[in-house]
Amino acid sequence: MMLTVRRVFFAWDYDKQIAWLNEMAGKGLNLVKVSFNKYVFEQGTPGEYSYRIEWLKQWPTRPQSVSYIRFLEEAGVEYVTSFKKWAYFRKKTSEGAFDLFSDLDSRINHLQRLITLVICLLPPLLIVLILNLWLWAEHRQIGNAVASGMLAVMLISFTAGLMKLSKERRHLKNERILRE
Amino acid sequence: MKHPFLIFGIDNYIVLRYNCVVLRYIGGRYIGGKRMAESIVLTEAVYYILLSLFEPLHGYGIMQKVETLSQGRVRLAAGTLYGAINTLLDKGWIRALPEESNSRKKEYIILDEGKRAVINEINRLRELLDNGERITGGQGK
């Protein structure tokens, strides 16, 4: 039995996404497929699986990612699905604790990749916002005002997300000074 | 004065210490400083991975061996292990054994360079241990 949930998670809420997927798995709903705004779950045994997500360094079809996924599978981690460079993994809870990263360096690197992702999304937003503001100033059309408003909101939320990721990375880097 | 170890952020597995000046070892190059005496500080994970590979072992085997050796204290995650193995392969401290057939998992084995690194690390740890026990009066046990 399948269940489709419409939900969107931003890159900076990846920890919330992980928490949500594990919450669903705890109820017996195991993720099988993902797209931009749809999560497809399959009914199974509650608490059977534990899920983790990673933003890969390269697209899942590239050789580096293929060898990484294969390595994980040899280590007992099941590759569920992927969306863009997001890879979804799971492991049976009976097989023990599941984490993709056990040291600070790996976590810092992963956060850095997410930060780079969000930073890349900002300039186009900013350009389109400025364009809309300019058009609105020129032609006074309500459409441009609405678009500007929406884009400004998006820009603010993206920046807030970026700050959240940066804060976590800074925290981990400070930890790194003391320990691994 | 701040311990020199804290001056630079450490974002690589291996930190080189030249006469108390800590440098970053990135992409096979040393950044800054004159080369006087060389000593490398391994992370715990890397040290145990190298020890595990004195016998040929595959990825999951390394994770289990390290957990056994450290009596459950050091748990290697698969993603972290993958990065460490690739770094060790790049440095020429370990090598991958040719796969015998498609069904066998890829195995790795330590090389002489890696063994040297382990010996150096053991000597370094002995120095830390000796100083610690001497100064604390043997409270380490």
Side-chain angles (χ1 to χ4, degrees), chain A residues 70-76, chain B residues 49 52-66 76 81-82 85 94-97 99 103-110:
Chain A
R70 185 169 157 237
F71 181 87
L72 290 183
E73 290 186 324
E74 285 175 8
Chain B
I49 290 169
S52 309
L53 290 178
F54 270 71
E55 303 278 330
L57 216 54
H58 52 77
Y60 191 53
I62 298 172
M63 285 163 74
Q64 288 176 312
K65 179 90 195 216
V66 169
L76 281 177
L81 178 60
Y82 181 80
I85 285 180
I94 65 173
R95 73 178 173 95
L97 292 171
E99 285 169 74
S103 59
R104 274 188 76 87
K105 299 178 186 181
K106 195 168 206 167
E107 294 192 330
Y108 304 90
I109 186 105
I110 195 168

Side-chain angles (χ1 to χ4, degrees), chain A residues 95-154:
Chain A
E95 287 172 20
F98 174 34
D99 263 309
L100 284 170
F101 305 124
S102 50
D103 71 331
L104 289 170
D105 286 321
S106 306
R107 286 165 63 192
I108 290 170
N109 285 337
H110 186 247
L111 270 174
Q112 183 56 56
R113 299 207 288 273
L114 289 175
I115 287 170
T116 307
L117 165 67
V118 178
I119 283 178
C120 288
L121 297 171
L122 289 178
L125 262 182
L126 196 60
I127 290 169
V128 178
L129 171 63
I130 291 171
L131 200 64
N132 267 288
L133 284 172
W134 180 81
L135 285 171
W136 182 64
E138 282 279 315
H139 304 291
R140 295 282 163 183
Q141 289 212 345
I142 194 73
N144 291 123
V146 170
S148 298
M150 280 166 42
L151 285 163
V153 166
M154 279 174 75

Side-chain angles (χ1 to χ4, degrees), chain B residues 1-8 17-22:
Chain B
M1 176 193 153
K2 263 212 287 200
H3 191 287
F5 203 68
L6 302 178
I7 291 175
F8 296 90
R17 197 191 295 134
Y18 290 165
N19 275 6
C20 296
V21 175
V22 172

